[in-house]
């Protein structure tokens, strides 16, 4: 497995704007999408994580490498990106990447917290998100990052653990590039919409 060249963020000030911007978590019923991705960007789009219908786009799994490259071209800080990974996946982050924890004091209960979710927070170049995952036997299984944004905050990527789409907020130009690439199955949305108003699962 390729070495993950990021650092663990234990001083969470860079993520405070995310916590402050997200809409309140619904007590019952469907969430506003703004509870998952911060409002305030020019445009928003969902991208289906897997497409099995050739009539609405290329068949197959979402190409995260392609998407990461596109995102990297739409920020002035591609080498400084924040990546949040849900701590509850069925594999152990410390066992997979022990070297990240060797020189830091990381309490077991120290995570980036938003309502109903807790995350490890990493900082590194955008392409490092492609190295996050776990090894089973001789196979590496990529774990898509759950939240990601560059230091200049020109866009935001969100992959809620219960969704089969990822959400991106950014400039009109970025969203247009994603749609016009022809590599993704997309749907525009607004943060005020609720989760039942876009496709979130197959």
């Amino acid at each position: 497995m390729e070495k993950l060249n990021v650092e663990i963020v234990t001083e969470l000030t860079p993520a405070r704007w995310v916590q402050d911007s997200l809409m309140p978590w619904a007590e019952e019923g469907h969430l506003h999408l703004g509870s998952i991705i911060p409002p305030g960007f020019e445009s928003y789009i969902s991208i289906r994580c897997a497409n099995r219908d050739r009539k609405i786009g290329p068949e197959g799994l979402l190409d995260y490498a392609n998407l990461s490259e596109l995102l990297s071209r739409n920020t002035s800080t591609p080498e400084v990106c924040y990546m949040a990974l849900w701590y509850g996946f069925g594999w152990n982050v410390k066992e997979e990447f022990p070297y990240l924890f060797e020189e830091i004091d990381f309490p077991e209960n120290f995570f980036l917290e938003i309502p109903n979710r807790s995350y490890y927070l990493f900082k590194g170049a955008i392409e490092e998100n492609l190295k996050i995952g776990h090894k089973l036997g001789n196979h590496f299984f990529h774990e898509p990052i759950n939240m990601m944004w560059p230091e200049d905050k020109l866009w935001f990527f969100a992959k809620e653990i219960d969704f089969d789409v990822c959400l991106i907020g950014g400039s009109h130009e970025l969203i247009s590039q994603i749609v016009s690439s022809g590599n993704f199955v997309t749907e525009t949305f607004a943060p005020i919409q609720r989760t039942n108003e876009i496709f979130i699962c197959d």
Side-chain angles (χ1 to χ4, degrees):
M1 188 162 61
E2 196 172 356
K3 187 172 182 178
L4 179 60
N5 187 25
V6 300
E7 61 181 85
I8 296 280
V9 179
T10 57
E11 202 293 297
L12 297 175
T13 299
R16 201 71 65 205
W17 74 278
V18 178
Q19 296 170 308
D20 292 342
S21 299
L22 292 175
M23 298 173 68
W25 196 273
E27 292 293 329
E28 55 187 56
H30 291 278
L31 291 174
H32 290 289
L33 293 169
S35 301
I36 308 301
I37 187 169
F41 291 98
E42 286 183 347
S43 192
Y44 291 84
I45 200 167
S46 68
I47 302 178
R48 189 173 292 195
C49 294
N51 178 39
R52 299 176 183 90
D53 185 349
R54 289 182 180 273
K55 291 183 288 187
I56 59 174
E59 188 174 21
L61 297 177
L62 195 160
D63 186 343
Y64 285 99
N66 188 314
L67 181 60
S68 295
E69 172 60 26
L70 205 161
L71 292 173
S72 72
R73 298 199 304 265
N74 284 270
T75 172
S76 63
T77 58
E79 298 303 313
V80 184
C81 187
Y82 293 93
M83 296 164 257
L85 180 73
W86 186 52
Y87 87 103
F89 289 117
W91 54 277
N92 191 308
V93 173
K94 288 187 175 181
E95 289 181 1
E96 297 292 337
F97 308 108
Y99 48 85
L100 297 180
F101 298 86
E102 288 175 351
E103 297 182 5
I104 65 169
D105 180 17
F106 191 84
E108 288 296 323
N109 62 347
F110 190 88
F111 296 100
L112 168 60
E113 303 280 353
I114 65 170
N116 300 301
R117 299 288 184 265
S118 301
Y119 303 93
Y120 292 100
L121 185 62
F122 307 126
K123 182 172 73 170
I126 290 173
E127 63 267 19
E128 293 299 313
N129 83 87
L130 303 173
K131 302 176 186 177
I132 294 174
H134 63 101
K135 193 173 182 181
L136 186 61
N138 294 321
H139 299 283
F140 171 74
F141 294 89
H142 174 231
E143 192 75 70
I145 207 72
N146 298 106
M147 295 191 293
M148 181 167 64
W149 68 93
E151 190 172 50
D152 61 14
K153 304 177 188 174
L154 289 185
W155 48 259
F156 193 96
F157 169 97
K159 172 67 173 71
E160 217 306 294
I161 60 173
D162 292 328
F163 287 12
D164 287 334
V165 298
C166 63
L167 309 177
I168 295 177
S171 66
H172 294 311
E173 180 180 358
L174 168 61
I175 300 308
S176 177
Q177 288 177 27
I178 293 172
V179 174
S180 63
S181 73
N183 295 318
F184 309 102
V185 181
T186 63
E187 181 178 349
T188 58
F189 71 91
I192 196 64
Q193 288 180 256
R194 291 186 178 270
T195 54
N196 61 323
E197 296 179 318
I198 67 167
F199 51 75
I200 62 171
C201 57
D202 290 339

